[in-house]
Amino acid sequence: DGGITQSPKYLFRKEGQNVTLSCEQNLNHDAMYWYRQDPGQGLRLIYYSQIVNDFQKGDIAEGYSVSREKKESFPLTVTSAQKNPTAFYLCATYRETGSNEQYFGPGTRLTVT
Amino acid sequence: AQKVTQAQTEISVVEKEDVTLDCVYETRDTTYYLFWYKQPPSGELVFLIRRNSFDEQNEISGRYSWNFQKSTSSFNFTITASQVVDSAVYFCALSAYGGSQGNLIFGKGTKLSVKP
């Protein structure tokens, strides 16, 4: 089935450790996005990539890093520099043609203690 | 700057009641897209509708309807005869028309609770 996979669903880390969140898609979409969601908040854009080997910072990129070596994959690393990393992280894809909607993965809930 | 405001943080209704979720947006673009997404407790966002700024015709899909009014910069969402399965957080979003139209600006969401 076509879709977006984010793994794991729940992730626990100790403060000071870097952690990488996985996002894989088989929709053949060019653009991919990472959002952060905090309780009672909307989605805030962390990074996005419109093409392989290229990516741009979103509104809250500090403390995060990404790579886009393959069209199918857009991993997000939460570094120790991110002051409040505990949140729900959503990956999305977008295709220029068609319904112009973003497709979302199931999300990863990261807890850092 | 672009902004989306969903003033209703939480709404609670009893099953079969009608409910309207408000969305007000700000943009300097003359053409743009508006969206509604549903986020059930599982967390994944589900696309509900996209509306082009040059198409102000209202839309109905089953129990769902959307009222787009450019004059008041609003894109409200009504659920008729609500059901328990409608309980979720609903997000309104805005995007530019053109090259960066994949980049969405989200409101903070409205949590809808439908009680039996």
Side-chain angles (χ1 to χ4, degrees):
Chain A
D1 286 354
I4 302 168
T5 303
Q6 290 186 247
S7 59
K9 180 73 173 173
Y10 299 94
L11 193 53
F12 299 87
R13 281 294 182 270
K14 294 289 187 186
E15 195 173 333
Q17 294 178 337
N18 290 356
V19 57
T20 298
L21 280 59
S22 164
C23 178
E24 303 282 330
Q25 58 112 348
N26 60 5
L27 299 168
N28 199 33
H29 289 174
D30 292 313
M32 297 186 74
Y33 301 80
W34 274 106
Y35 292 93
R36 171 184 172 135
Q37 184 179 17
D38 295 284
Q41 300 293 316
L43 277 66
R44 293 183 291 169
L45 182 64
I46 305 173
Y47 267 98
Y48 65 100
S49 168
Q50 294 183 319
I51 197 168
V52 174
N53 291 323
D54 189 39
F55 49 83
Q56 284 78 40
K57 292 181 180 180
D59 300 319
I60 56 165
E62 186 174 349
Y64 299 97
S65 66
V66 293
S67 63
R68 186 85 187 277
E69 296 176 2
K70 300 185 301 180
K71 189 175 185 177
E72 301 81 15
S73 180
F74 191 40
L76 173 73
T77 297
V78 184
T79 74
S80 56
Q82 168 50 234
K83 292 188 170 68
N84 294 299
T86 295
F88 187 54
Y89 291 88
L90 282 157
C91 177
T93 67
Y94 169 76
R95 188 179 173 193
E96 285 287 336
T97 58
S99 61
N100 297 107
E101 72 194 74
Q102 281 195 3
Y103 296 79
F104 284 83
T108 292
R109 193 167 298 278
L110 173 65
T111 301
V112 177
T113 57
Chain B
Q2 295 183 316
K3 185 180 177 182
V4 175
T5 301
Q6 295 179 255
Q8 304 149 307
T9 306
E10 291 192 42
I11 299 176
S12 182
V13 299
V14 176
E15 207 169 17
K16 296 184 184 173
E17 283 185 29
D18 298 348
V19 58
T20 295
L21 309 182
D22 297 333
C23 173
V24 174
Y25 62 92
E26 296 174 28
T27 181
R28 290 182 182 162
D29 296 333
T30 54
T31 52
Y32 46 88
Y33 291 112
L34 293 163
F35 302 79
W36 275 96
Y37 282 86
K38 174 181 180 180
Q39 186 179 39
S42 60
E44 184 171 348
L45 266 73
V46 177
F47 169 79
L48 295 178
I49 190 172
R50 181 204 71 172
R51 173 62 67 210
N52 300 330
S53 57
F54 44 85
D55 179 5
E56 289 193 67
Q57 189 173 9
N58 291 329
E59 182 151 343
I60 297 174
S61 176
R63 295 184 298 106
Y64 294 171
S65 63
W66 291 269
N67 184 332
F68 176 35
Q69 291 199 342
K70 215 166 176 178
S71 59
T72 56
S73 297
S74 65
F75 186 43
N76 297 336
F77 173 32
T78 297
I79 301 174
T80 303
S82 60
Q83 299 176 1
V84 173
V85 293
D86 295 327
S87 297
V89 180
Y90 291 86
F91 289 99
C92 181
L94 167 72
S95 79
Y97 183 86
S100 63
Q101 62 187 299
N103 293 7
L104 300 182
I105 307 297
F106 285 86
K108 293 188 176 182
T110 297
K111 182 177 181 181
L112 174 65
S113 299
V114 181
K115 302 188 186 309

